[in-house]
Amino acid sequence: MSKVVKESLFRHELKYFINYHQYFLLRNKLSFLMSRDPNSLIDGNYHIRSLYFDDIYNSSLFEKQSGILNRKKYRIRIYNLSSNLIKLEKKSKIGQFINKKSITLSINQVKRIINYDYEFLLKMNNSLANEFYFDLKNKIYRPKVVVDYIREAFMLKINKIRITFDKFLKNGLYDIDIFRKDMPLISSIDENYFILEIKFS
């Protein structure tokens, strides 16, 4: 049975493209000032793969590219190519603030959603599951693209500060099986550039 994951508070998220030299200098400084994400593997990184959903008009993509201040997106996310922890997440941007809600799913539930069998969402007695069901049913949300990258994360308890470096960003345009370990992927950005993200309450 799925369980509810604690909802996050509204927070700020700032994103920047940086080159390898900038990453190297920042990473070394942060390693002295902040703690590593406890989910990190031995090398300090962990792998993230997400399956994003959108409607027939690709509204979520269009709104993001257009800089619309009030928007939302759904994704199913796994870590280190494992089915041990699977999250359904809704990420909303309201003005300058970000809010994220999530619940855990089983691998069987994910496969049912991908195969358009999502009536079970109504039985989960959860607001996120109900909203996702509504958008799947009435706004024809469908799985659209897989996004795959390596993350290195640092944390600080003050203001819940979290700084991440996302590396080797890739996507799988022609495959939506996020559990497929040999999925063909193509680079989304030049591999010499990383994404620096700063999150804080």
Side-chain angles (χ1 to χ4, degrees):
M1 179 178 292
S2 301
K3 65 179 181 179
V4 178
V5 177
K6 184 178 179 181
E7 297 181 3
S8 65
L9 300 174
F10 285 93
R11 61 183 181 179
H12 293 280
E13 290 188 5
L14 307 174
K15 290 186 180 182
Y16 307 92
F17 283 107
I18 60 174
N19 59 37
Y20 180 82
H21 179 68
Q22 292 169 319
Y23 155 74
F24 183 79
L25 293 176
L26 283 170
R27 190 268 308 270
N28 286 346
K29 291 178 180 179
L30 292 176
S31 63
F32 289 103
L33 298 171
M34 304 176 70
S35 301
R36 291 274 185 178
D37 187 316
N39 296 311
S40 301
L41 302 179
I42 295 175
D43 62 357
N45 300 300
Y46 57 96
H47 181 272
I48 293 177
R49 180 175 287 177
S50 301
L51 173 61
Y52 284 84
F53 291 73
D54 212 335
D55 61 21
I56 58 175
Y57 304 107
N58 289 326
S59 297
S60 297
L61 176 62
F62 173 77
E63 290 171 357
K64 181 177 181 179
Q65 291 176 336
S66 302
I68 303 299
L69 290 180
N70 295 333
R71 61 181 188 264
K72 68 180 180 182
K73 61 184 177 184
Y74 295 105
R75 66 192 178 204
I76 292 174
R77 173 165 286 187
I78 62 172
Y79 301 88
N80 301 317
L81 295 177
S82 169
S83 60
N84 291 335
L85 176 62
I86 308 171
K87 293 182 181 179
L88 166 64
E89 298 181 336
K90 176 197 170 190
K91 197 170 184 180
S92 304
K93 183 176 178 65
I94 304 172
Q96 299 301 317
F97 295 95
I98 301 293
N99 178 256
K100 185 168 68 175
K101 299 178 180 179
S102 64
I103 56 174
T104 59
L105 298 176
S106 68
I107 187 171
N108 180 59
Q109 288 172 326
V110 173
K111 290 181 177 180
R112 289 176 66 180
I113 291 171
I114 291 174
N115 289 305
Y116 314 122
D117 174 18
Y118 40 77
E119 296 294 326
F120 72 90
L121 291 168
L122 289 177
K123 301 177 182 179
M124 294 177 65
N125 192 29
N126 175 268
S127 60
L128 172 55
N130 290 344
E131 184 176 353
F132 188 44
Y133 171 85
F134 175 85
D135 284 338
L136 288 168
K137 186 78 171 179
N138 297 296
K139 295 186 178 180
I140 322 298
Y141 270 67
R142 294 292 182 264
K144 290 295 182 76
V145 64
V146 168
V147 176
D148 182 286
Y149 54 91
I150 302 298
R151 170 165 285 179
E152 186 174 3
F154 296 88
M155 306 172 64
L156 197 64
K157 291 183 179 180
I158 301 172
N159 287 347
K160 297 183 178 179
I161 297 173
R162 181 175 170 84
I163 298 178
T164 61
F165 300 100
D166 292 341
K167 319 172 213 180
F168 315 119
L169 182 68
K170 299 178 181 180
N171 66 78
L173 287 174
Y174 307 108
D175 195 338
I176 58 172
D177 181 5
I178 57 174
F179 304 105
R180 180 181 171 187
K181 295 185 178 180
D182 62 345
M183 176 187 291
L185 299 166
I186 59 174
S187 294
S188 300
I189 60 174
D190 189 317
E191 291 192 357
N192 292 317
Y193 287 89
F194 299 155
I195 298 173
L196 166 65
E197 189 168 12
I198 304 170
K199 307 174 185 180
F200 57 96
S201 298

